[in-house]
Amino acid sequence: MNNAVNPNVTEETAGYDPSQVELKWQDAWRDRDINTTDVANAPDPFYALMMFPYPSAEGLHVGNLFAFVGNDIYGRFQRLQGHNVFEPLGYDAFGIHSENYALKVGKHPMDLIPQNIANFRRQLERAGLMVDWSKSLSTTDPDYYKWTQWVFLQLLKQGLAYKKQAAVNWCPSCKTVLANEQVIGGACERCDTPVEQRFLSQWFFRISDYAQRLLANLDTLDWSETTKTAQRNWIGRSEGAEISFVAKRNGEEHEIRVFTTRPDTVFGATYLVIAPEHPLVARLTGALYKSAVDQYVARSTKQDLVSRKTTTEKTGVFTGAFAINPATGQEIPIWISDYVLMDYGTGAIMAVPGHDERDFEFAKVFGLPIVRVVCGEGEEPTTPLETAFTENERGVIVNSGRFDGMTVATAKREIITMLQEKGAGKSFVNYRLHDWCISRQRYWGPPIPIIYCDEHGAVPVPEKDLPVLLPHVDDFKPDDSGVSPLARHEDWYRVPCPECGRMARRETDVSDTFLDSAWYFLRYPSVGIDEVPFDASLTQKWLPVDSYIGGNEHAVLHLLYSRFITMVLHDMGFLTFEEPFTRFRAHGLIIRNGAKMSKSRGNVVIPDHYIEKWGADAFRTYLMFLGPFEEGGDFRDASISGVKRFLDRLWASVNAMGDGQGDPEVIRKLHQTIRKVGEDIPKLSYNTAIAAMMEYMNALRRGERTPVRAEVEPLVQLVSPFAPHIAEELWQKLGYNDSVFNSKWPQYDAALASEEKIELVVQVNGKTRGKLSVARDIEQDAAVSAAMGDPAIAKFVTAEPRKIIFVPGRLLNIVV
RNA sequence: GCGAGAGUGGCGGAACUGGUAGACGCGCUGGACUUAGGAUCCAGUGGAGCAAUCCGUGGGGGUUCGAGUCCCCCCUUUCGCACCA
């Protein structure tokens, strides 16, 4: 191994065989445990986390690798800064993808997953990641999901897990429950049949209780702004009022509560609309209207969600009932329409057709009264409304009794006060965020640890009895019963009640994959510890995560769920922090030759092929060079040769290296490069960092000179996070026995890194007419006379200058 | 429809708080070395023009000594969410 390079070769780049060098160092790193973090004793911990992959049968996707390499560079850089970096990686191996794939190929997921994981592991190691494999995990390990079940029990204990009837997506053709990700545009992804709703009793987590905290904390996090915005939109806070309308029917009073962001328009509410699923539908419907209502409700709840989601044509039916508008005292009709959604607000609205587009459309279709209660500029209270007037910035309230003349903002406050005094309303903040349904009527997940007893109801499995093992069953295919395949295995689900010992029945649903991934980062430092999910002192040392990198596709759900679980565990005293990820950056997507990669297009990049041909170092560096990390970029095969050439030249430079002082200009450039690369990596601006190193390489080679040690040695360190193997090999050639990753990142000399001579741009009337090589600190007068001394510039100065703009060290603009 | 982003050479992409547009790389052109070269090395490479010079960052206005960058309008495009009251 030590004779990898033949000293007699004449060609400078001879001896650089990437696969030989890379395999040599991958072995050496493993033998020397160089990537293993001593988690218990690290004085200066840095937790560099990447989103763990789903280990598909196809193997590692180049998109995964792009993300991992980006994280690896950051992690290696932090290590060179002197931190003890922990870079773990596991597998998110439960879930619908694995299950469906297993069904497709007719194998069992319990057999497939270990194979896939082994293949992923091989690919990841070949890519040269600084992963601490001693702390790896898979969500499918009983040692892991035991604690996923424990998390569920903690939420249950806190009253944050509850059961209720809820709709699931049901494909009438496949006769099975579908996960949300299997529903594409309201239709089944496999057979394209419109999806129906079925109602099942399911477990939910009360994430909506945490909506305000999840929203407010965002301001404290160092996250990509786009990700924060996505979370804010998902939480969907809106301020307004809840208003009660009272309906009378058969001598009974029914209160219909609505949520509105426009309480100022309550005088214009000319009818109410409730969702077809609204609990009051039956009681409000009059005998005469019953058949029409039943028909409408049946059609809109059972019928395909496709038409409901894609059409905006308003449909509806009158209930026959009326309610009192608490502001006007008038009776207004109550309608049912599917444009009102049961799962937002209260499932009922006050319709103000004059000032809401949807209400306006509906009123037009059914001939309902439209009343103006807000005037824009130049409009009278009697000006007819051709469309809904929704612009409220400069609106003035009209036709609203004593509130006339108020601005919209004032009226909002005043009308809420009025309603409150009448006991008919209050200000209210509504969130779009729904409680998290974690039940899945599937096989491939952790069984929800609950036992149903006739006597005691839903009894949690005692913690000492965890894990509830997922049994190996052959018929794991979902069927048309609408319950989990586990429900077909009586020998598994029949168990004694933990409370009374009488025969009872296990919950046969499994939990959502998102629950598996909502706490895995807590587990990594404690992998191998059996007694607790996460050791208190290790957790204290390593968390919250210093840097988290992952895809934007998880910007909303995964991150929100992780934050929620962390908050709950914090509130229970298990954690000292309530936000799990101090810094988060979303990486971009890679496309291929300008198009999205997909199997059907046949343009998927298989990392193995490229690593074999170019080496992991060149492939990694190219991935980081093809575009800004946070934006992604276009993968083009032809471009890899550029970074390979760069690495070849690096190899050649070190091999040809001489002794001596080094050229002052080259050394100056070196210090500039050290500064630039050190500034770019923390910004994840990897593409420009690589460009800077290439630029330095060009300077190093200019004039067919032989570089000296002082010029090349620091460059090896700068390159090392990107191309770790070649750097390690060259570091050894430079005479070091220890790993380059145990060295210290080179320091730059600030004075050297800044130029003393600068190119001063000279403009005349804003147009660049020349440039002068002058001292950095040149004064304005000297600059002007230097400029006028240059005939190429002076000839444009055709008159006495009217004005001189001088930006020291940068630019001179002579205005004539 | 709403929200977030993006439009720069033949291509991928650079450009700090407004201050040389096109760094770096690919490709291309010419040359060197070669039996050969999809290797390596050197030089050139936004467009027009012999040149001086002019024109150039999706389109149109504007602010400024100066705009890829800031403001207004429009077009195209990617990604989310989609009747959210």
Side-chain angles (χ1 to χ4, degrees):
Chain A
M1 270 301 175
N2 291 331
N3 297 324
V5 177
N6 178 353
N8 297 322
V9 288
T10 46
E11 292 244 358
E12 286 174 346
T13 59
Y16 179 40
D17 172 358
S19 59
Q20 195 186 354
V21 169
E22 290 171 5
L23 294 175
K24 165 185 166 182
W25 285 105
Q26 282 160 15
D27 285 344
W29 291 333
R30 202 178 305 118
D31 291 347
R32 296 196 218 158
D33 263 351
I34 209 103
N35 297 337
T36 306
T37 311
D38 182 356
V39 289
N41 300 306
D44 188 4
F46 189 95
Y47 193 166
L49 181 68
M50 47 197 144
M51 286 185 185
F52 62 168
Y54 148 68
S56 70
E58 291 84 32
L60 192 63
H61 187 270
V62 69
N64 289 332
L65 200 52
F66 179 71
F68 298 158
V69 168
N71 183 66
D72 193 52
I73 290 166
Y74 193 62
R76 287 182 186 272
F77 175 74
Q78 292 299 343
R79 176 169 177 161
L80 287 158
Q81 299 297 311
H83 294 109
N84 304 99
V85 175
F86 181 43
E87 196 178 304
L89 189 60
Y91 306 95
D92 191 15
F94 265 139
I96 195 97
H97 285 110
S98 312
E99 191 178 301
N100 285 349
Y101 183 80
L103 286 168
K104 197 172 119 194
V105 300
K107 290 190 177 167
H108 199 280
M110 282 189 185
D111 302 326
L112 279 176
I113 290 297
Q115 294 170 18
N116 293 354
I117 286 180
N119 186 42
F120 259 64
R121 170 79 180 262
R122 177 189 62 76
Q123 291 184 295
L124 291 164
E125 289 203 58
R126 186 61 189 84
L129 298 173
M130 197 177 76
V131 168
D132 182 350
W133 292 110
S134 72
K135 294 286 190 291
S136 191
L137 59 84
S138 168
T139 54
T140 55
D141 294 338
D143 288 347
Y144 181 82
Y145 71 71
K146 168 184 181 176
W147 299 113
T148 306
Q149 292 169 339
W150 175 87
V151 170
F152 172 88
L153 294 179
Q154 304 317 302
L155 274 99
L156 189 68
K157 214 183 275 179
Q158 287 297 94
L160 292 169
Y162 67 98
K163 221 176 174 194
K164 75 167 182 195
Q165 287 279 322
V168 293
N169 305 303
W170 175 261
C171 174
S173 163
C174 304
K175 292 197 187 319
T176 183
V177 172
L178 298 179
N180 284 333
E181 52 269 40
Q182 292 178 291
V183 182
I184 312 293
C188 174
E189 69 170 356
R190 250 178 299 173
C191 62
D192 226 34
T193 309
V195 169
E196 289 179 0
Q197 297 183 352
R198 268 204 180 185
F199 287 85
L200 295 176
S201 179
Q202 314 203 60
W203 286 97
F204 283 82
F205 284 167
R206 286 189 206 281
I207 190 173
S208 60
D209 282 8
Y210 283 69
Q212 183 52 40
R213 233 164 118 192
L214 289 165
L215 181 68
N217 278 10
L218 284 174
D219 296 335
T220 68
L221 300 175
D222 175 15
W223 285 21
S224 326
E225 218 32 64
T226 53
T227 309
K228 291 207 241 182
T229 306
Q231 295 229 336
R232 284 189 192 106
N233 292 342
W234 190 263
I235 294 168
R237 179 190 159 102
S238 57
E239 291 181 24
E242 201 175 81
I243 303 177
S244 291
F245 289 70
V246 176
K248 279 194 184 140
R249 170 126 227 119
N250 303 330
E252 283 176 46
E253 285 197 349
H254 300 287
E255 184 194 34
I256 301 170
R257 290 179 304 119
V258 306
F259 172 72
T260 178
T261 54
R262 296 294 306 276
D264 53 300
T265 62
V266 67
F267 284 84
T270 53
Y271 60 102
L272 293 185
V273 188
I274 61 177
E277 303 91 340
H278 198 281
L280 286 177
V281 165
R283 267 176 286 174
L284 289 172
T285 302
L288 274 177
Y289 303 89
K290 191 168 184 317
S291 69
V293 166
D294 286 352
Q295 227 173 39
Y296 184 79
V297 169
R299 198 161 61 88
S300 42
T301 52
K302 290 239 180 71
Q303 204 212 16
D304 52 295
L305 296 167
V306 186
S307 63
R308 183 162 179 181
K309 283 201 165 139
T310 50
T311 178
T312 51
E313 277 166 47
K314 296 289 178 285
T315 59
V317 63
F318 178 47
T319 58
F322 291 85
I324 306 294
N325 181 328
T328 62
Q330 285 174 344
E331 283 202 331
I332 57 173
I334 303 170
W335 285 69
I336 298 170
S337 174
D338 61 10
Y339 86 91
V340 173
L341 309 174
M342 192 57 223
D343 54 6
Y344 184 76
T346 61
I349 61 156
M350 64 174 205
V352 185
H355 305 283
D356 180 280
E357 281 165 27
R358 297 149 303 179
D359 297 345
F360 186 89
E361 267 179 62
F362 190 84
K364 279 285 177 198
V365 172
F366 295 101
L368 293 158
I370 299 170
V371 173
R372 175 190 284 281
V373 289
V374 185
C375 272
E377 251 174 304
E379 290 178 324
E380 297 294 320
T382 51
T383 311
L385 286 149
E386 302 297 332
T387 55
F389 177 75
T390 54
E391 204 201 310
N392 56 18
E393 290 295 309
R394 281 177 310 217
V396 174
I397 301 297
V398 296
N399 298 326
S400 299
R402 66 178 173 93
F403 303 98
D404 286 0
M406 289 184 186
T407 63
V408 164
T410 312
K412 276 185 183 172
R413 280 198 309 274
E414 295 294 320
I415 288 179
I416 288 172
T417 308
M418 177 270 285
L419 291 167
Q420 209 153 10
E421 282 162 3
K422 289 190 175 183
K426 58 178 184 195
S427 69
F428 193 82
V429 177
N430 193 62
Y431 296 92
R432 224 181 77 176
L433 182 66
H434 286 84
D435 279 347
W436 172 15
C437 176
I438 59 131
S439 294
R440 295 292 180 273
Q441 295 71 40
R442 286 280 172 164
Y443 167 70
W444 193 231
I448 295 173
I450 289 287
I451 293 169
Y452 298 103
C453 169
D454 289 342
E455 178 80 24
H456 296 95
V459 180
V461 172
E463 289 181 20
K464 65 172 174 50
D465 293 342
L466 296 180
V468 176
L469 283 173
L470 179 69
H472 188 297
V473 305
D474 290 326
D475 58 330
F476 55 88
K477 190 179 171 158
D479 63 15
D480 61 358
S481 64
V483 291
S484 161
L486 291 174
R488 296 194 292 263
H489 293 267
E490 205 174 327
D491 52 335
W492 181 76
Y493 72 68
R494 297 226 342 139
V495 285
C497 167
E499 299 273 335
C500 63
R502 270 183 291 192
M503 280 319 270
R505 187 189 168 101
R506 281 193 194 283
E507 167 69 64
T508 55
D509 283 356
V510 299
S511 59
D512 183 6
T513 331
F514 275 116
L515 182 58
D516 302 329
S517 58
W519 75 280
Y520 75 109
F521 45 89
L522 297 173
R523 180 64 181 166
Y524 279 140
S526 303
V527 163
I529 295 173
D530 292 335
E531 301 75 27
V532 289
F534 40 87
D535 174 82
S537 71
L538 289 176
T539 305
Q540 182 65 36
K541 195 178 202 40
W542 289 98
L543 284 121
V545 170
D546 295 283
S547 164
Y548 194 24
I549 286 177
N552 246 326
E553 69 275 18
H554 293 123
V556 176
L557 294 182
H558 161 63
L559 291 176
L560 204 60
Y561 292 154
S562 301
R563 296 177 61 214
F564 165 62
I565 295 294
T566 303
M567 275 181 199
V568 173
L569 294 174
H570 164 266
D571 292 350
M572 294 183 77
F574 290 113
L575 300 172
T576 55
F577 51 91
E578 59 176 60
E579 285 292 341
F581 314 121
T582 306
R583 172 180 145 122
F584 171 76
R585 293 290 181 277
H587 65 254
L589 294 177
I590 302 194
I591 56 172
R592 178 91 182 273
N593 299 326
K596 211 170 178 174
M597 268 185 252
S598 72
K599 262 187 281 178
S600 56
R601 273 203 194 84
N603 64 346
V604 174
V605 173
I606 314 278
D608 290 10
H609 302 344
Y610 288 85
I611 289 178
E612 196 183 329
K613 181 165 180 195
W614 300 97
D617 284 337
F619 190 57
R620 288 168 58 109
T621 310
Y622 175 60
L623 284 177
M624 297 300 108
F625 185 60
L626 58 73
F629 184 65
E630 293 184 69
E631 285 166 40
D634 194 357
F635 189 102
R636 284 169 190 263
D637 290 25
S639 302
I640 303 177
S641 56
V643 288
K644 178 58 165 51
R645 207 165 283 153
F646 167 69
L647 296 177
D648 285 342
R649 288 169 178 173
L650 177 68
W651 180 275
S653 300
V654 174
N655 279 300
M657 175 185 88
D659 285 319
Q661 278 293 303
D663 180 83
E665 278 314 303
V666 172
I667 294 293
R668 181 180 293 282
K669 186 80 186 165
L670 172 65
H671 283 264
Q672 288 165 1
T673 306
I674 294 170
R675 180 174 64 186
K676 172 80 175 151
V677 174
E679 284 170 357
D680 283 355
I681 292 178
K683 290 189 290 187
L684 310 186
S685 186
Y686 299 141
N687 55 335
T688 55
I690 295 165
M693 291 187 285
M694 287 174 164
E695 216 178 318
Y696 176 63
M697 176 60 73
N698 292 340
L700 195 61
R701 291 157 34 88
R702 196 159 293 138
E704 294 180 24
R705 51 189 294 281
T706 305
V708 302
R709 170 182 279 268
E711 294 167 347
V712 297
E713 187 173 305
L715 180 60
V716 170
Q717 292 173 291
L718 298 189
V719 167
S720 67
F722 299 87
H725 313 85
I726 190 176
E728 195 74 289
E729 178 72 22
L730 294 175
W731 194 245
Q732 190 184 51
K733 279 180 192 295
L734 286 163
Y736 295 98
N737 289 322
D738 199 2
S739 170
V740 67
F741 298 103
N742 290 334
S743 72
K744 282 286 285 185
W745 188 256
Q747 297 294 304
Y748 65 86
D749 180 324
L752 271 177
S754 49
E755 305 270 6
E756 26 182 47
K757 285 236 159 192
I758 52 127
E759 299 270 277
L760 185 76
V761 176
V762 183
Q763 299 181 335
V764 179
N765 288 342
K767 287 197 190 230
T768 302
R769 295 302 184 184
K771 48 192 179 176
L772 301 167
S773 184
V774 296
R776 177 177 191 75
D777 52 0
I778 189 168
E779 305 277 337
Q780 175 170 327
D781 292 349
V784 172
S785 32
M788 296 309 285
D790 184 337
I793 296 168
K795 73 176 181 186
F796 290 99
V797 185
T798 52
E800 194 58 26
R802 286 193 293 127
K803 194 172 175 184
I804 305 284
I805 312 281
F806 183 67
V807 184
R810 186 154 261 174
L811 164 140
L812 174 70
N813 186 9
I814 300 168
V815 185
V816 297

